[in-house]
Amino acid sequence: MKNLLKVFLISLSILPATAQQPVYLDDSKPIEDRVEDALSRMTLREKINLIHAQSKFSSPGVPRLGIPELWTTDGPMGVRPEVLWDEWDQAGWTNDSCTAFPSLSALAATWNPEMGLLYGKSIGEEARFRNKSVLLGPGINIYRTPLNGRNFEYMGEDPYLVSQMVVPYVEGVQSNGVAACVKHFALNNNEVNRHTSNPIVDDRTLYEIYLPGFKAAATEGNAWSFMGGYNLFRGEHASYNPILMNDILKGEWDWDGAVISDWGAVHDTATAVTGGLDMEFGSWTNGLTEGASNAYDNYFLANPYLEGIQNGTYSEDELNDKVRRVLRLTFRTAMNRNKPWGSMVSDEHRAAAKQIGEEGIVLLKNDNDILPIEPEKTKKVAVIGENAIKKMTVGGGSSSLKAKYEITPLEGLKSRLGDEVEIVYARGYVGDPSGEYNGVSTGQDLTDLRSVEELTAEALQVAKEADMVIFIGGLNKSDHQDAEGTDRETLSLPYGQDELISALAKANPNLVVVNISGTGVAMPWVNDVPAILQGWYLGSETGNALASVLTGDANPSGKLPYTYYASLDQVGAHKLGEYPGTPGIDVLGNEVMDMPYNEGIFVGYRFIDKNKLNPTFHFGHGLSYTTFKYGDIASPKIFAKGDDKIEVSIPVTNTGDRKGKETVQLYVRDIKSSVERPFKELKRFKKIELNPGETKEVKFELDRNALSYFDAEKHSWVMEPGDFEILIGASSGDIRSKKSFKAE
């Protein structure tokens, strides 16, 4: 036996170089060398196979060459459970439960890039443990309207905030050898008519508002993959839009990753070939209607593409570029032998979910310091509302999860206060009693056949007998609330909650409203309620995170990543636009819904400032159980011609009696410009922690980009010399200090 082994080893050593280990398998070689080596060994059919799906969530690789399958998974708030090979039905695994992390709107509300890194690293570890190569997230489309059904998956209305939060998320995910797939590039700002919506956007608006987050993810975060949107842009579908994918993403930004279609977002071979799409995924033959099972060879980038190359319709050069990008993605992920092992539902992930949730919860109002709950003064608490008991990790579309566990708000409050405070519960209203999506169930049956009158009477009686009332309501992940595929139909709360909250405010003056949602809602009762929290969808640790903030174990430090509008008349998309669009025609002559972005760059607080409106709560707003005093801004009076940047600083003092965190926000105003500009724009922020009485000097660096606007005619960013103003405050509506300076 030893002699046979010796002969085998000797034979290996004398093999010719061509039979030695291929360069593409040698991870000591540069990736580009490995890509070219693998490409040179592939047949035309293997190249075609590489760029389209073989199952609901995988592509086949090249088995002959040992290039493995590429497995993707839905995110971006947890790793989706396994489905059957060619069906959406559950695969029935017993080990595919995950940690449910807070919604990305909650992450954005932390205003803390460190939380973005923690989030990305944690969810990336879970994806890695499940042997996924691509996590389909994060989503970073701008909140153009509060009615967008997928706002809870996105990071707010401001391009700078989004840019600062997405980069560490991407870096955290990819530290595990798992690719982040940043989506939906670009202008996926509504779910209604999502397959036919054709945004009409000028270049300045595109570059100033809707592209910065994606650019940061591509150029600073070095995201390894992007996903196109279902929507169109200038008459062509986003997933293979030559302007977005070729001119901007791969051209201007010199990005070397792979573009993945949204599932079923491809409609034509010719434009998909030339429009910058690299991998086609979807369901059934065309992704939109049912067809033959295992029909992946009929995809637009499958046999039709192969036949087009064979008959001379298409060049193989374009195919080779797609293959290079997919190989690059594979070497970075599935063939990366140095990636860590990952972990699933670990103690660290539980702690991360809770910490992110605590930092993201926003204390919107706290009159008379009604919060935090003090057990020595509060002996009986009435908890009212369906969302106090409803599990929220299931539902909402592709982000629906099979969570290993989920602690409801009522469970969290009882666990934290049950030994000290009597907690009684009343339903108050019945919304959606179900808890099932795509074969995953929460195990809850919340059916309640009592009338509205009976439910209201019980809630009011319980409220009158309590020292404090905590109403936990808001939206859920049902259709036309926070859900993929449908937009909200109104800004108002559903299920008669507004009327119930008003009645509760009269029954007990010590009322706290916790709004569970991924986006803003109208609050006609805002002046009647002393305390309000924005509670988001907080995942597995929902109850513990909420209880921690309500009791003061964690001092709230979240800030709104979007404007909390009083009505849709305060939203440019609705006030000036034709939402959800008017009939039009795309480049192929198909019917679409044209959607003019008439508000242009005036999105969110920019529209509020321009029209001098008073929203319910301003962008960046968020209170604490302590207070902060801002001093005077220190900065040069002149940004001299030879300077690349200037330093700006401001002292901030904790003037209360609790340790707390404050997010100091720096806005810039161009006092006189040759073009219309927003009154002010967020350009820097920093989250700091201060002990009672402590002062810190918060320092920022401003470069010339922070003073620039996008000149569409020159197709470049322009800073006009002249007078500018720095405005620093606790929100866009709470500016504490101003300082003028001149830029040369």
Side-chain angles (χ1 to χ4, degrees):
M1 186 69 182
K2 289 183 179 179
N3 289 335
L4 287 174
L5 178 61
K6 185 176 181 180
V7 170
F8 174 70
L9 292 174
I10 292 173
S11 67
L12 283 181
S13 67
I14 61 175
L15 284 173
T18 55
Q20 298 281 342
Q21 172 177 279
V23 172
Y24 72 83
L25 285 175
D26 184 356
D27 57 12
S28 68
K29 298 289 186 181
I31 280 185
E32 295 310 307
D33 291 349
R34 300 173 68 196
V35 166
E36 294 305 318
D37 179 45
L39 180 67
S40 70
R41 300 168 188 265
M42 294 171 64
T43 66
L44 179 59
R45 166 59 75 177
E46 287 170 338
K47 292 177 183 179
I48 289 291
N49 287 347
L50 194 73
I51 65 169
H52 68 82
Q54 65 169 354
S55 75
K56 281 286 182 281
F57 284 99
S58 71
S59 59
V62 187
R64 181 180 67 86
L65 297 179
I67 297 173
E69 298 169 326
L70 204 62
W71 280 89
T72 69
T73 181
D74 269 321
M77 296 170 288
V79 182
R80 188 173 182 168
E82 302 296 332
V83 298
L84 296 175
W85 183 263
D86 196 38
E87 304 288 341
W88 287 112
D89 296 336
Q90 294 299 298
W93 289 22
T94 58
N95 61 348
D96 59 344
S97 298
C98 69
T99 304
F101 294 94
S103 64
L104 291 190
S105 53
L107 171 62
T110 69
W111 287 61
N112 188 346
E114 292 181 5
M115 291 298 99
L117 183 64
L118 175 64
Y119 197 126
K121 179 177 181 294
S122 301
I123 195 173
E125 286 172 350
E126 300 220 344
R128 169 66 187 99
F129 188 83
R130 290 265 298 281
N131 204 28
K132 306 301 181 183
S133 294
V134 181
L135 179 76
L136 303 173
I140 59 170
N141 291 102
I142 292 293
Y143 283 25
R144 179 177 179 247
T145 164
L147 301 189
N148 183 12
R150 295 186 85 167
N151 277 348
F152 71 101
E153 293 187 47
Y154 299 150
M155 294 187 182
E157 72 182 35
D158 183 78
Y160 181 76
L161 174 61
V162 171
S163 299
Q164 295 303 300
M165 296 304 297
V166 68
V167 169
Y169 181 107
V170 168
E171 292 173 339
V173 170
Q174 295 185 169
S175 68
N176 294 281
V178 175
C181 186
V182 183
K183 63 183 189 182
H184 303 88
F185 188 61
L187 300 162
N188 194 139
N189 304 118
N190 50 276
E191 289 297 288
V192 63
N193 303 322
R194 66 174 177 167
H195 291 285
T196 58
S197 180
N198 182 38
I200 299 173
V201 186
D202 64 86
D203 274 1
R204 183 182 173 196
T205 299
L206 181 70
Y207 277 81
E208 289 194 16
I209 303 297
Y210 296 101
L211 292 186
F214 289 105
K215 182 179 181 181
T219 62
E220 298 174 41
N222 297 311
W224 294 335
S225 63
F226 263 46
M227 180 187 288
Y230 284 125
N231 58 287
L232 297 90
F233 172 58
R234 295 180 184 166
E236 185 58 86
H237 285 274
S239 280
Y240 40 93
N241 188 288
I243 299 173
L244 294 175
M245 299 304 177
N246 292 334
D247 297 347
I248 297 174
L249 179 61
K250 296 177 179 180
E252 292 177 21
W253 300 346
D254 195 25
W255 181 73
D256 67 359
V259 173
I260 298 174
S261 73
D262 206 338
W263 268 229
V266 186
H267 308 274
D268 175 72
T269 296
T271 48
V273 167
T274 59
L277 177 64
D278 300 312
M279 298 188 79
E280 180 182 2
F281 279 82
S283 315
W284 308 104
T285 303
N286 64 7
L288 300 177
T289 57
E290 293 189 0
S293 183
N294 284 312
Y296 301 100
D297 281 342
N298 295 323
Y299 272 25
F300 295 105
L301 288 186
N303 284 347
Y305 189 13
L306 175 64
E307 293 165 4
I309 290 177
Q310 291 172 333
N311 66 29
T313 302
Y314 310 118
S315 163
E316 198 169 342
D317 292 341
E318 289 161 329
L319 174 61
N320 286 341
D321 180 68
K322 300 178 193 300
V323 172
R324 285 187 178 96
R325 291 174 181 275
V326 177
L327 287 171
R328 196 176 290 126
L329 176 63
T330 304
F331 291 143
R332 287 166 167 169
T333 58
M335 294 185 74
N336 177 2
R337 293 188 291 183
N338 298 315
K339 59 189 175 184
W341 289 104
S343 56
M344 203 76 182
V345 199
S346 65
D347 290 342
E348 290 80 6
H349 295 171
R350 297 169 189 258
K354 182 171 181 282
Q355 183 181 3
I356 294 165
E358 289 171 349
E359 281 216 27
I361 293 170
V362 183
L363 180 61
L364 296 173
K365 188 177 180 183
N366 193 26
D367 290 353
N368 303 318
D369 295 328
I370 188 175
L371 290 174
I373 300 169
E374 298 180 78
E376 61 273 14
K377 298 179 183 179
T378 308
K379 296 304 179 184
K380 187 174 184 179
V381 172
V383 178
I384 298 171
E386 181 176 280
N387 283 0
I389 61 172
K390 183 175 176 63
K391 293 182 178 180
M392 296 286 195
T393 54
V394 172
S398 60
S399 63
S400 180
L401 300 173
K402 181 180 174 182
K404 183 73 173 177
Y405 72 98
E406 180 178 354
I407 298 167
T408 66
L410 183 60
E411 290 170 340
L413 284 167
K414 284 185 173 180
S415 175
R416 173 61 181 83
L417 292 171
D419 294 336
E420 304 171 88
V421 175
E422 180 185 359
I423 297 178
V424 293
Y425 174 73
R427 182 71 173 265
Y429 69 93
V430 175
D432 181 359
S434 66
E436 190 275 336
Y437 182 85
N438 189 218
V440 176
S441 173
T442 62
Q444 291 184 308
D445 181 0
L446 299 181
T447 301
D448 192 324
L449 300 179
R450 288 177 292 171
S451 68
V452 172
E453 291 75 19
E454 290 174 304
L455 290 164
T456 301
E458 179 193 42
L460 293 178
Q461 185 61 39
V462 166
K464 291 174 182 176
E465 296 172 353
D467 298 316
M468 175 182 285
V469 178
I470 302 176
F471 176 82
I472 303 179
L475 307 179
N476 54 46
K477 293 183 179 178
S478 303
D479 285 352
H480 301 294
Q481 294 200 40
D482 281 318
E484 178 184 2
T486 61
D487 277 357
R488 294 166 63 194
E489 296 174 332
T490 174
L491 195 60
S492 300
L493 286 173
Y495 315 127
Q497 291 179 77
D498 288 331
E499 293 79 7
L500 179 58
I501 292 170
S502 295
L504 289 172
K506 295 176 182 176
N508 192 321
N510 294 321
L511 173 61
V512 179
V513 171
V514 179
N515 181 62
I516 305 293
S517 71
T519 188
V521 300
M523 293 183 173
W525 33 262
V526 65
N527 294 325
D528 302 323
V529 174
I532 307 172
L533 268 76
Q534 176 61 33
W536 315 110
Y537 303 111
L538 299 178
S540 291
E541 287 287 324
T542 292
N544 288 337
L546 276 172
S548 183
V549 169
L550 286 167
T551 60
D553 293 343
N555 195 344
S557 63
K559 299 278 190 176
L560 289 176
Y562 55 74
T563 301
Y564 230 96
Y565 303 104
S567 71
L568 291 179
D569 280 343
Q570 296 184 335
V571 185
H574 296 272
K575 182 71 172 178
L576 304 178
E578 297 172 338
Y579 176 91
T582 58
I585 301 294
D586 71 8
V587 295
L588 297 178
N590 299 310
E591 293 183 359
V592 297
M593 293 297 289
D594 288 339
M595 187 177 292
Y597 282 34
N598 293 330
E599 72 281 9
I601 61 173
F602 295 97
V603 175
Y605 68 88
R606 291 165 169 81
F607 189 78
I608 294 293
D609 284 347
K610 179 181 180 180
N611 294 281
K612 299 179 181 179
L613 303 173
N614 292 311
T616 306
F617 298 106
H618 287 274
F619 169 79
H621 171 73
L623 304 176
S624 169
Y625 294 148
T626 189
T627 53
F628 300 96
K629 180 182 178 182
Y630 289 60
D632 295 328
I633 298 171
S635 71
K637 293 183 178 180
I638 297 178
F639 195 162
K641 186 173 292 185
D643 294 339
D644 294 326
K645 58 191 175 185
I646 58 172
E647 185 177 275
V648 178
S649 65
I650 187 170
V652 179
T653 303
N654 183 342
T655 53
D657 56 6
R658 289 174 179 260
K659 178 188 288 188
K661 295 179 180 179
E662 172 72 333
T663 299
V664 182
Q665 302 162 39
L666 185 154
Y667 297 82
V668 170
R669 177 188 174 206
D670 188 345
I671 295 176
K672 186 177 181 180
S673 173
S674 65
V675 298
E676 187 177 28
R677 299 190 66 175
F679 178 79
K680 63 177 181 293
E681 297 178 276
L682 180 72
K683 292 300 180 182
R684 298 290 185 269
F685 64 86
K686 189 170 292 185
K687 194 165 192 174
I688 59 171
E689 185 172 36
L690 295 170
N691 291 312
E694 183 181 7
T695 299
K696 284 184 178 178
E697 195 77 18
V698 183
K699 296 182 179 181
F700 303 97
E701 284 187 348
L702 281 183
D703 58 22
R704 294 181 180 275
N705 289 334
L707 312 182
S708 301
Y709 69 91
F710 187 79
D711 187 317
E713 290 187 6
K714 296 179 180 178
H715 200 76
S716 64
W717 291 86
V718 172
M719 189 214 79
E720 292 182 330
D723 294 327
F724 290 82
E725 188 174 38
I726 295 167
L727 306 93
I728 295 181
S731 79
S732 65
D734 184 11
I735 300 301
R736 306 287 184 90
S737 189
K738 302 178 182 179
K739 183 70 176 291
S740 297
F741 68 98
K742 185 180 292 293
E744 297 179 338

